[in-house]
Amino acid sequence: MRGLGLRPEFVDTLLASPSVQGLDFLEVAPENWMQIGGRKRDQLDRIADCYPLIAHGLSLSIADTEPLNTAFVRDVTRFLDDYGIAIYSDHLSAARDGTGYLYDLLPVPRRAENLPYLADRIAQVQDITGRRLVLENISAYHRYPGEMPEGAFFAELVARSGCGILLDINNVYVNACNHGTDAGAFLHALPSDAIVYYHIAGHLELADGFLLDTHGTPVADAVIDLARDTWALHGPRPLLLERDNFVPELGALLQDLGRIAGAIDEDRHVLA
Amino acid sequence: MSLPEPVAPRAMVAEFNSFCMTARANGSGLYGQLLRENVADALRSSFPLFTDRMGSAALEAEIDAFLLRHSGTRPQFHHIATEFVLFSQRQGVAAPELTALLEYEWALLAAEIDPATVPSPATTMDDIALNPTTRLVLLRFDPARPAAAGGGVDRPHAIFRTAEHQVLTLALTLPDCLVIEHVREVEAVSSASLFDALDPYLPPFELQTSLARGFASGLFCPPHKTLGDLP
């Protein structure tokens, strides 16, 4: 199965032809659509009639150190229920400190002693939403000293909380390049049966070689290679191409998604 | 029964807050830059006139102050716009005409995404309600030429979204204001009751003109419920 993140740039194109070949599902950020009326609401209602939706949030801030924003989680739950969305994912990150929200996906210290707290937070969210929370590995540009390896931390969190994993293959690549860590070791540490779906995206390489997860360029060949390794290790899952900047026309995006999916699974054609 | 509130380990709180404080305070670090770019993108997208008038240097200084001093309580990224308006109003950082422009653009945005459903246009003017997305604002500038916003006299305007999802700004006359005030008080009213209620203040012709203009633009609409269902 192949999907795209729903973008305003191509909503009208999608609505003009309710069934598009090569597009099996759409991902929506609940924050961008919930409690909103007017044209956007109208568009989403019509899109939801044509495509299965996955909700991929930005603002849950599951790993911050403030009391969980339960009002927000309840609002998200209403949105999920209204549109019959079974899968709710967000990021293993924080967006809020003691001062307030910062509006970014910030890394939190990966320490064994923080795991019980995070698992309890996940249980809180799962209790409210009535759904398994699915968490994505982020591109982190900061490392706290003496942290646990990312794979071991994620695996332990899954074991404690029962959450699912949204495995972002570009983020694995970006982190490995920027921090000199082993992408393969990260992938091997993850429990296959917890992986719900995959993200793939493009990144920007700065002059000094540092990588930024911008979702604004085509997917790099090295990331496609890593995705092929991921497929071999964990098996096929729904694959979603993220493109949030310099968004091309829908046809071009779908062509790119088809190319990537074909390259990843060129032997077995499971995605075809 | 809800689960007990988990408490973060103290070391985690200290370590994470220290990292965040650095990002808030230091615009030259990578996360400091990313935070600032996120806010700037949201402001340029939501408030194009305001950000254009303010200029890059002043906007950067405002964003620095926003990140350092403002406690954002709304988690959604698209609420950066609302949080910035609140910050600007509390701090009084921008010149009054810039603040007016900011509030005008915020009202446009708020009307555009207001969760209320706007009833389809009426075929008659028998029952009258105010469009549920309406924001009433005082503007010192001509909304047809907002880029030229400057000093002037406050004039009342209504900003609202039509059933066809168009956002309109309508300059209000005194009769419009009287009708709006009355309709808001009672939620919805029959045409006959409105004429009775405003008879001491408005000649019927002026009221008729105001209603016709309001219905034609979408400022007035039929009530969601029939009048018999209203309290």
Side-chain angles (χ1 to χ4, degrees), chain B residues 46-106:
Chain B
S46 303
F47 308 133
L49 298 169
F50 170 79
T51 51
D52 191 48
R53 278 281 301 271
M54 189 152 213
S56 295
L59 185 64
E60 281 172 22
E62 283 308 302
I63 292 171
D64 279 345
F66 173 74
L67 284 171
L68 263 179
R69 290 191 231 139
H70 185 68
S71 302
T73 59
R74 293 164 182 77
Q76 295 97 318
F77 284 28
H78 70 83
H79 274 316
I80 291 172
T82 303
E83 295 286 354
F84 187 82
V85 170
L86 290 172
F87 168 74
S88 190
Q89 288 171 332
R90 285 177 194 152
Q91 301 287 321
V93 282
E97 64 269 20
L98 270 176
T99 302
L101 195 55
L102 179 68
E103 290 169 353
Y104 169 63
E105 291 194 282
W106 182 85

Side-chain angles (χ1 to χ4, degrees), chain A residues 31 36-39 59 67-68 72 94 96-104 107 109 111 114 117 123-124 141 144, chain B residues 3 5-9 12 15-17 19-20 24 30-31 34-35 38 71-72 74-75 78 83 113-114 161 165:
Chain A
E31 299 90 341
I36 281 178
R39 189 182 307 281
S59 310
L68 184 71
F72 171 75
R96 178 176 56 162
D97 64 2
T99 302
Y101 283 95
L102 292 104
Y103 308 108
D104 208 333
R111 308 205 184 284
N114 299 339
Y117 166 72
Q124 263 189 306
Y141 310 116
Y144 298 89
Chain B
L3 298 169
E5 184 67 49
V7 177
M12 181 184 183
E15 201 168 16
F16 179 65
N17 279 339
F19 162 68
C20 291
R24 284 182 184 276
L30 180 55
Y31 273 105
L34 292 173
L35 295 184
N38 287 345
S71 302
R74 293 164 182 77
H78 70 83
E83 295 286 354
I113 64 174
D114 190 302
R161 189 182 74 233
H165 307 316

Side-chain angles (χ1 to χ4, degrees), chain A residues 8-258:
Chain A
E9 289 88 342
F10 57 74
V11 167
D12 288 335
T13 311
L14 276 179
L15 289 173
S17 62
S19 174
V20 174
Q21 196 171 8
L23 183 61
D24 303 309
F25 68 97
L26 289 164
E27 192 185 67
V28 295
E31 299 90 341
N32 292 343
W33 301 90
M34 66 189 195
Q35 297 171 317
I36 281 178
R39 189 182 307 281
K40 287 192 75 174
R41 178 78 187 202
D42 184 45
Q43 288 174 330
L44 185 61
D45 287 349
R46 291 159 61 200
I47 290 280
D49 286 340
C50 305
Y51 293 93
L53 300 179
I54 287 179
H56 180 54
L58 299 161
S59 310
L60 177 61
S61 196
I62 188 69
D64 76 34
T65 56
E66 304 301 307
L68 184 71
N69 189 336
T70 53
F72 171 75
V73 180
R74 287 195 186 90
D75 288 341
V76 170
T77 303
R78 267 190 292 278
F79 175 84
L80 301 175
D81 291 343
D82 284 350
Y83 286 97
I85 299 173
I87 297 176
Y88 171 45
S89 63
D90 204 295
H91 302 80
L92 181 53
S93 66
R96 178 176 56 162
D97 64 2
T99 302
Y101 283 95
L102 292 104
Y103 308 108
D104 208 333
L105 303 171
L106 304 171
V108 292
R110 295 192 309 265
R111 308 205 184 284
E113 54 271 31
N114 299 339
L115 283 164
Y117 166 72
L118 294 173
D120 286 347
R121 295 266 288 194
I122 292 168
Q124 263 189 306
V125 173
Q126 294 181 150
D127 185 51
I128 295 171
T129 63
R131 290 160 176 83
R132 180 190 201 188
L133 180 62
V134 179
L135 289 175
E136 176 183 339
N137 55 304
I138 63 165
S139 281
Y141 310 116
H142 171 80
R143 290 277 147 131
Y144 298 89
E147 287 185 296
M148 282 176 71
E150 189 179 6
F153 187 79
F154 223 119
E156 182 61 27
L157 190 58
V158 169
R160 285 173 179 264
S161 69
C163 73
I165 299 173
L166 161 52
L167 180 54
D168 188 309
I169 297 161
N170 183 58
N171 289 347
V172 177
Y173 181 81
V174 166
N175 286 340
C177 291
N178 287 344
H179 302 295
T181 53
D182 182 351
F186 173 77
L187 291 174
H188 274 90
L190 299 180
S192 290
D193 57 0
I195 298 172
V196 177
Y197 68 115
Y198 298 125
H199 270 179
I200 198 159
H203 57 255
L204 179 70
E205 182 170 351
L206 303 181
D208 61 0
F210 197 81
L211 304 185
L212 287 178
D213 175 39
T214 54
H215 301 179
T217 59
V219 179
D221 288 344
V223 175
I224 295 176
D225 290 343
L226 185 61
R228 196 179 291 118
D229 295 343
T230 306
W231 231 251
L233 183 63
H234 292 298
R237 297 287 191 286
L239 176 72
L240 183 124
L241 173 62
E242 294 184 292
R243 189 67 185 253
D244 298 323
N245 294 299
F246 307 108
V247 180
E249 288 185 356
L250 179 64
L253 264 182
L254 287 169
Q255 205 170 15
D256 203 28
L257 178 57

